[in-house]
Amino acid sequence: MESLFSQVMKKTIASAFACILLLNACRKEEATSWDTRLLTPIAEAELSVEDIIPDSLIISANGDPILIRYENTLSLIPYDSVLQIPDTSIVQNFIFPVPFTLPAGFEVLNLNELVRFDYDGIELTEARVASGTLDYTVVSTLGDTVFYNYRVPKAMFSALPLSLQNVAIPPGTVSNPAIQQKSIDLSGYTIDLRGSSTNESNQLQLELDAQLNPNGNGSPVVGGQEIVRFTSTFKSIVPSYARGYFGRQTFETGFQREGLGFLKNLSGNLNLQDITLNLSLENGIGADFSFLITELKGRKSTTGTEVNLSHPIIGNAQRLARASEVPQSGLPYTPTQKTYSLNTGNSNLKAFIEALPDELYYDVDAEVNPLGNISSGNDFIYSSSNAKVKLQLNLPLRFSANSLVFRDTLEFEGVEEATESPVQEAMLRLHAENGFPYQLSTTLWLLDVNKVRMDSLFGGQLIEAAPVDSDLKVTQPRKSVLTTNISPAKLEKLEKTRFIVVESRLNTVPENTLLPVYTHYKLKLQLSGRGIYRIEVR
Amino acid sequence: MMKTRLFYIFCLALPAFGVAQALRSDSIYRVPEFHPAGRALFSLSAGGQTQSTTIPAAFSNRFIDPGFIDDVLKTSVEDRFKGDNRFGAAFGYSASALFFPDSSAKANGSALQISAGTESLFALRFSNDAFSLAFRGNEDFAGQSANLSNSSFYALRYNFFRLSYRKRFETWGFEAGLQAMRGVSNSDVRLEEASLFTDTSGTFLDVRWKGRIRSSSPGANAWNNYPSAGAALNLRFIYTPVSQRKWFVEASLNDFGFIHWNNQTNDIQRDTSFRFTGLWFGDVITFNDTNFVLGDSLLRRLRGNEEQASGMRLFPFRLHTAVSFELSARHNQRLMLEAEYRALPGMRPQFTLGYNRQLGTHFELGIDAIYGGFGGLNSRFRMAYRYKANQLSMVIFAPEGWIGAKRFSGNGIFIRYALDI
């Protein structure tokens, strides 16, 4: 009995050990898991007009409906076309024809040169330098010190001409010449460009004389070899003011493109209230000026549809008289101005905007002095001067929409791929509290990496419009709930989703009524989820 | 023979909770008796047990032998809801050597013991709603509030190295020891007041919680860093009339010490209420830029500003007392009464009534009735086999939990092999 019992016990204990070892060895990679039914908020968002249209474009005062004001200024004349003086150099040297020993005090250079600035059609007589330098280099192979005087008599600063006196260059040799480089800041200098005769233009007189050390012993020179070289360069001279005749210059913007990104994602039928576009031309240059808007057209990039803006100003040259040199409003001149107003009555502006172009193309030509030199060389320009076109679009945000579509593509990293998704099934609910008087149907399209549509969420369910009173003002927001089921099959597609196209269709309620939009209108969205989530513990 | 039997009694009279305690259950008093020749003892032990007022063994087994917890299993817990539910678990293994430093020690009844091992402890106290929320989800609570107050979760994993000295006198003996510990991980979550209200349509969650969360996880390779380390004291006394050995009493205080957790320790103490309405997309048009992690967002709200700092925490000490009577010299039949407590959240004092008898010369069997701890009424079956220098002991905790896993709470097994060396 005891023996049998003993054997049974032995086996029992051995089996228990074996079981433990077996459990450890054969331990499955399986996790402890269970399903939970979750009901939870996921995300919330609030959408107002400011989220769609940049704040800088929104004008709203005293609780009035929103007015969108788009402003842009275009400068027609490139800044450097008149005001930038071309970099110009002049080189002078001295060669003694035969071998000789120059005596002490020998005058090796005595120059009175005119520098000619190479302008094309522009005849400047005066310039005030805002920035720029006069750089010069002196090279000497003479065996004794050379002293020189350098003057620009018509470059004045505080009524004194630019003048360098008795500047010394140390002795040099042919193989190792003495080199001296200097840079003179010309900022603040007034330069008379009429040359020596005062009837010329674009010219500046330079004076230079150099002599061997009068107290030295002289210096031998090799015949036919350069013994002194002097190089002067006017570099990056930008005047703050220039006077003269600016020539008959033509400027063309070429076909320019301006993006209207906030309209890119909109398409469909939109009916707007009256719109105005103010074009203000300003001439701040002391020269007559004409401009021509050859073409102004809007383009919808998604469809390629183009609409040309028509108005008498388009295609007809407009002339602006020169600015007068009378200080005004802090400026040293008084610009001339002309304003044109485009509206529903005199243009197709409304249809132009209702086409919702997201690209604006224009081609503008401008001409200075279209009648030639009628000012006898008294054109002027300040650094703040230009011929500008100021554009101001006023668009009251009061509209009716019929299937106006907002479509945007968002990149999506995708739900993390897992062997087994923790979400077994789910239902998403979008709780919307709509403060806009527009009915909205939304579909989220799920696209794979090749942008092929695989499935959709919310399938065009409606977010109802908020009701309006007799003043067409929203009385209270309206709540709607949109639902979408996330089946296991849809979950698989979500894993493969790399792009989501948000497509919202907007309709005004009541139909065909121009409804104003206010800044306090908001669309509150909240996404909640109800589903079975598998928890795993490893 | 009497001495041998006494050893078995001590050996098998395992403290009901705390494997580390069970792993060193050889008495200071009996060893000298069991080793009249002064032979040393080397032992290896391993085991684990669970105990609960509410959770049947089949449910807790899913966390040991992984698998899917279905609705039937969940219902088996819910059918046993007590309002104040508790669960505890302990797992571990160790190696131990008992030896006599010299012949005089053997002669005067002194011995040294060193042991090393690791142990994991789990203690859980939870409301009915806390269980339902964790295992059913919050949908069933739509429109109502889940009460999570007075819930706690405690988990501790540590390694230990222990050195003890034991001394036997004529009628009494004592053991005093010190142990060094390395903290591997520790989580201590106490929710004094906590609730979760779920909106009917799921548009918001109202969260209320007042409590403290401390978690330490020095990392898998903590030896490279400043480790989380600690020390504890162990004391044990035993008294028996030497003349008859008809009865003895024993009392002990173990693991009385601390662990200093390193700076990989988060301490969050909050008294807060908030409404969670989901991730906020400030600009829905460019939501690509938003960090779309819902769980993180909610956790951030729950955690608030947490502190990361090192800190010292009391180790869950253990108090134990036992008294044993000889019922009959025939088959060495004895009765034992035991009371013990371990400072784990949710644990209550545990009382044990045990019976032992010898079967033949090699076997000893025992059966206990246990009440308290993390459970209600449980049983325990013990057996031991000795052959020459080998001793093999096995304790099956709550055999009813093994047999009727869906109806009874708790189960466990403890195995120990010892060799005279």
Side-chain angles (χ1 to χ4, degrees):
Chain A
M1 170 69 186
E2 190 177 297
S3 171
L4 178 67
F5 191 81
S6 172
Q7 282 178 21
V8 170
M9 285 305 292
K10 277 184 205 170
K11 283 185 180 174
T12 306
I13 292 167
S15 302
F17 261 120
C19 277
I20 289 175
L21 291 173
L22 205 64
L23 272 176
N24 252 348
C26 303
R27 191 167 203 143
K28 292 171 274 183
E29 282 304 310
E30 199 182 347
T32 301
S33 61
W34 65 91
D35 288 344
T36 54
R37 304 185 70 85
L38 299 182
L39 175 61
T40 178
I42 296 172
E44 61 178 333
E46 201 172 84
L47 190 68
S48 65
V49 174
E50 286 101 325
D51 294 313
I52 302 171
I53 299 167
D55 292 357
S56 56
L57 303 185
I58 295 174
I59 308 291
S60 174
N62 305 321
D64 291 340
I66 290 172
L67 172 76
I68 296 175
R69 177 164 291 166
Y70 175 75
E71 291 179 315
N72 199 5
T73 299
L74 177 69
S75 294
L76 295 173
I77 298 177
Y79 180 72
D80 58 359
S81 60
V82 174
L83 284 172
Q84 177 85 44
I85 292 178
D87 287 359
T88 303
S89 293
I90 181 170
V91 181
Q92 291 295 332
N93 58 3
F94 177 63
I95 299 170
F96 208 77
V98 293
F100 188 69
T101 297
L102 301 178
F106 184 82
E107 191 172 67
V108 291
L109 274 177
N110 189 351
L111 300 173
N112 194 341
E113 288 280 332
L114 281 175
V115 179
R116 179 171 289 277
F117 297 101
D118 189 17
Y119 270 119
D120 184 16
I122 296 176
E123 297 167 8
L124 288 191
T125 55
E126 184 187 348
R128 288 175 208 151
V129 181
S131 63
T133 56
L134 169 57
D135 300 343
Y136 70 90
T137 305
V138 189
V139 179
S140 169
T141 61
L142 291 168
D144 200 353
T145 304
V146 173
F147 294 94
Y148 68 88
N149 300 312
Y150 186 34
R151 291 177 301 279
V152 186
K154 294 199 173 178
M156 308 289 284
F157 187 85
S158 301
L160 294 172
L162 193 160
S163 176
L164 300 174
Q165 296 292 325
N166 220 22
V167 185
I169 313 166
T173 64
V174 173
S175 59
N176 188 21
I179 300 172
Q180 190 176 67
Q181 289 180 316
K182 285 188 182 292
S183 182
I184 302 166
D185 184 2
L186 294 180
S187 304
Y189 276 85
T190 300
I191 302 172
D192 184 341
L193 294 163
R194 289 176 294 175
S196 54
S197 67
T198 69
N199 290 325
E200 298 298 326
S201 60
N202 303 338
Q203 293 178 11
L204 186 62
Q205 189 179 10
L206 302 183
E207 294 175 2
L208 174 71
D209 62 79
Q211 67 173 150
L212 202 56
N213 182 5
N215 300 318
N217 299 318
S219 174
V221 296
V222 180
Q225 287 223 351
E226 184 181 78
I227 54 173
V228 175
R229 185 171 73 245
F230 204 96
T231 307
S232 296
T233 303
F234 287 88
K235 196 172 178 184
S236 307
I237 305 289
V238 179
S240 57
Y241 170 80
R243 174 176 287 277
Y245 170 55
F246 295 161
R248 229 182 131 168
Q249 297 188 73
T250 304
F251 305 97
E252 294 176 358
T253 61
F255 220 51
Q256 296 288 311
R257 176 188 173 279
E258 191 80 29
L260 303 173
F262 64 96
L263 292 174
K264 187 175 183 179
N265 299 319
L266 288 176
S267 63
N269 301 317
L270 179 71
N271 185 15
L272 293 163
Q273 208 185 19
D274 289 344
I275 308 166
T276 56
L277 174 67
N278 296 318
L279 280 176
S280 176
L281 306 177
E282 180 184 298
N283 184 10
I285 300 172
D288 291 349
F289 170 77
S290 75
F291 85 97
L292 170 67
I293 300 174
T294 312
E295 191 175 5
L296 178 57
K297 72 177 178 185
R299 182 173 183 273
K300 190 74 185 168
S301 62
T302 48
T303 59
T305 312
E306 293 182 349
V307 181
N308 281 295
L309 184 66
S310 59
H311 182 269
I313 196 175
I314 312 287
N316 293 306
Q318 309 296 316
R319 187 167 298 161
L320 274 172
R322 66 186 54 234
S324 58
E325 216 163 358
V326 177
Q328 186 212 48
S329 306
L331 292 171
Y333 56 89
T334 303
T336 54
Q337 288 182 331
K338 257 188 182 179
T339 300
Y340 304 88
S341 183
L342 284 70
N343 54 46
T344 312
N346 62 16
S347 73
N348 66 338
L349 180 64
K350 186 165 169 289
F352 181 84
I353 300 295
E354 285 173 351
L356 300 168
D358 56 289
E359 292 172 347
L360 209 59
Y361 290 90
Y362 58 86
D363 186 4
V364 180
D365 298 341
E367 190 177 9
V368 177
N369 287 322
L371 302 176
N373 188 2
I374 58 171
S375 69
S376 305
N378 283 309
D379 298 348
F380 68 87
I381 187 169
Y382 287 86
S383 54
S384 57
S385 302
N386 211 317
K388 297 173 184 170
V389 178
K390 288 182 181 173
L391 179 150
Q392 187 192 73
L393 175 73
N394 292 310
L395 192 157
L397 204 54
R398 181 190 288 263
F399 64 95
S400 76
N402 181 14
S403 283
L404 181 70
V405 176
F406 172 84
R407 186 182 286 112
D408 196 10
T409 303
L410 309 170
E411 281 188 40
F412 184 62
E413 287 181 5
V415 177
E416 190 181 344
E417 279 196 55
T419 320
E420 196 176 348
S421 169
V423 179
Q424 305 300 298
E425 59 180 76
M427 185 174 74
L428 295 179
R429 284 182 172 186
L430 185 66
H431 306 263
E433 190 178 302
N434 189 4
F436 288 91
Y438 307 110
Q439 184 191 64
L440 198 69
S441 73
T442 299
T443 305
L444 303 181
W445 296 100
L446 310 180
L447 276 58
D448 66 11
V449 70
N450 299 314
K451 295 196 173 177
V452 175
R453 277 187 188 181
M454 297 183 294
D455 211 330
S456 66
L457 301 175
F458 297 111
Q461 294 174 62
L462 286 181
I463 294 175
E464 296 293 348
V468 294
D469 59 16
S470 55
D471 295 330
L472 303 177
K473 209 168 180 179
V474 168
T475 51
Q476 59 177 22
R478 176 165 286 176
K479 292 182 179 178
S480 310
V481 179
L482 284 60
T483 60
T484 193
N485 283 313
I486 310 287
S487 62
K490 197 164 277 188
L491 267 173
E492 270 184 40
K493 289 172 184 165
L494 271 170
E495 285 175 4
K496 293 173 185 160
T497 298
R498 292 296 175 271
F499 299 94
I500 294 179
V501 174
V502 180
E503 189 176 283
S504 295
R505 203 167 286 271
L506 200 75
N507 287 296
T508 317
V509 178
E511 270 182 82
N512 301 320
T513 306
L514 294 173
L515 295 173
V517 178
Y518 295 85
T519 49
H520 67 271
Y521 285 0
K522 290 186 191 323
L523 171 63
K524 293 180 182 173
L525 297 170
Q526 190 177 45
L527 189 66
S528 69
R530 179 191 294 268
I532 299 175
Y533 188 89
R534 180 158 294 176
I535 294 175
E536 292 192 347
V537 177
R538 289 180 191 276
Chain B
M1 182 63 69
M2 175 72 175
K3 293 171 184 172
T4 308
R5 287 174 183 165
L6 192 60
F7 163 74
Y8 283 132
I9 292 167
F10 274 89
C11 183
L12 296 176
L14 301 172
F17 213 83
V19 175
Q21 307 306 321
L23 301 183
R24 52 167 180 186
S25 55
D26 43 338
S27 161
I28 56 169
Y29 193 65
R30 58 196 175 248
V31 172
E33 292 179 338
F34 191 72
H35 297 280
R39 292 164 68 185
L41 183 75
F42 174 75
S43 65
L44 294 170
S45 314
Q49 73 172 83
T50 62
Q51 196 183 20
S52 177
T53 53
T54 313
I55 295 174
F59 190 95
S60 52
N61 285 351
R62 279 286 181 266
F63 289 86
I64 299 163
D65 180 22
F68 184 71
I69 298 171
D70 58 17
D71 279 353
V72 176
L73 269 179
K74 293 175 191 172
T75 306
S76 70
V77 177
E78 289 159 348
D79 286 347
R80 297 157 57 91
F81 271 163
K82 299 277 189 299
D84 180 18
N85 309 287
R86 285 167 286 124
F87 171 84
F91 305 91
Y93 52 86
S94 75
S96 176
L98 186 138
F99 57 95
F100 305 96
D102 51 42
S103 55
S104 63
K106 178 188 68 179
N108 67 22
S110 301
L112 285 174
Q113 185 175 25
I114 55 170
S115 45
T118 188
E119 186 180 31
S120 300
L121 296 170
F122 301 91
L124 196 59
R125 186 180 181 189
F126 54 96
S127 64
N128 298 352
D129 287 355
F131 177 87
S132 300
L133 195 64
F135 290 94
R136 297 278 191 191
N138 70 330
E139 190 180 356
D140 293 344
F141 290 95
Q144 51 184 302
S145 189
N147 176 22
L148 312 173
S149 297
N150 298 317
S151 295
S152 63
F153 171 74
Y154 183 87
L156 170 67
R157 183 176 166 80
Y158 71 101
N159 311 126
F160 63 87
F161 176 81
R162 185 177 297 129
L163 175 65
S164 9
Y165 171 76
R166 55 182 63 177
K167 170 81 174 168
R168 174 177 59 83
F169 299 97
E170 189 61 18
T171 58
W172 67 284
F174 77 90
E175 177 183 5
L178 273 176
Q179 66 187 35
M181 296 174 290
R182 181 178 78 103
V184 178
S185 62
N186 181 217
S187 298
D188 191 355
V189 181
R190 313 279 175 112
L191 299 181
E192 286 177 50
E193 285 177 38
S195 63
L196 176 76
F197 177 83
T198 303
D199 172 52
T200 315
S201 55
T203 54
F204 65 86
L205 301 173
D206 279 339
V207 180
R208 158 81 181 135
W209 87 274
K210 177 186 177 186
R212 189 171 192 182
I213 299 174
R214 285 182 292 184
S215 66
S216 304
S217 184
N221 200 13
W223 294 114
N224 289 345
N225 307 318
Y226 155 59
S228 294
L233 179 70
N234 298 301
L235 293 172
R236 195 175 190 188
F237 295 91
I238 191 162
Y239 173 77
T240 184
V242 74
S243 55
Q244 297 177 17
R245 309 280 168 118
K246 296 283 186 189
W247 61 275
F248 67 85
V249 292
E250 181 193 1
S252 63
L253 167 67
N254 287 301
D255 297 332
F256 188 70
F258 64 90
I259 286 184
H260 185 270
W261 294 93
N262 71 12
N263 55 12
Q264 297 299 305
T265 297
N266 295 318
D267 191 347
I268 306 157
Q269 197 162 6
R270 296 207 76 186
D271 181 355
T272 185
S273 303
F274 64 88
R275 174 165 289 188
F276 182 71
T277 49
L279 296 175
W280 172 253
F281 290 103
D283 183 355
V284 288
I285 303 298
T286 56
F287 92 96
N288 280 348
D289 298 335
T290 307
N291 187 10
F292 190 82
V293 185
L294 183 66
D296 279 2
S297 173
L298 181 56
L299 284 175
R300 271 197 298 274
R301 297 285 299 276
L302 280 172
R303 285 199 301 249
N305 296 324
E306 61 187 81
E307 285 180 21
Q308 194 163 44
S310 56
M312 192 176 290
R313 263 172 268 165
L314 194 65
F315 200 76
F317 65 87
R318 176 176 163 268
L319 286 168
H320 173 255
T321 182
V323 56
S324 175
F325 307 93
E326 183 183 271
L327 292 176
S328 164
R330 188 167 178 265
H331 302 305
N332 189 30
Q333 295 179 73
R334 295 188 73 87
L335 198 64
M336 181 189 70
L337 283 170
E338 188 181 43
E340 68 177 308
Y341 172 73
R342 192 161 196 183
L344 288 169
M347 184 173 178
R348 291 180 176 169
Q350 178 176 286
F351 302 97
T352 304
L353 175 62
Y355 167 77
N356 292 277
R357 69 164 288 163
Q358 195 170 346
L359 278 176
T361 55
H362 297 293
F363 282 98
E364 183 91 14
L365 295 177
I367 188 160
D368 302 326
I370 299 168
Y371 183 78
F374 284 99
L377 186 62
N378 281 112
S379 65
R380 185 167 61 188
F381 178 69
R382 294 171 277 119
M383 53 192 165
Y385 172 76
R386 177 175 174 80
Y387 183 73
K388 295 184 179 175
N390 302 286
Q391 309 152 48
L392 192 58
S393 318
M394 184 164 76
V395 178
I396 296 173
F397 179 80
E400 69 276 13
W402 288 102
I403 298 162
K406 290 182 180 172
R407 293 182 56 203
F408 297 101
S409 295
N411 57 12
I413 188 166
F414 166 75
I415 293 171
R416 179 172 181 266
Y417 171 74
L419 177 69
D420 293 347
I421 50 176

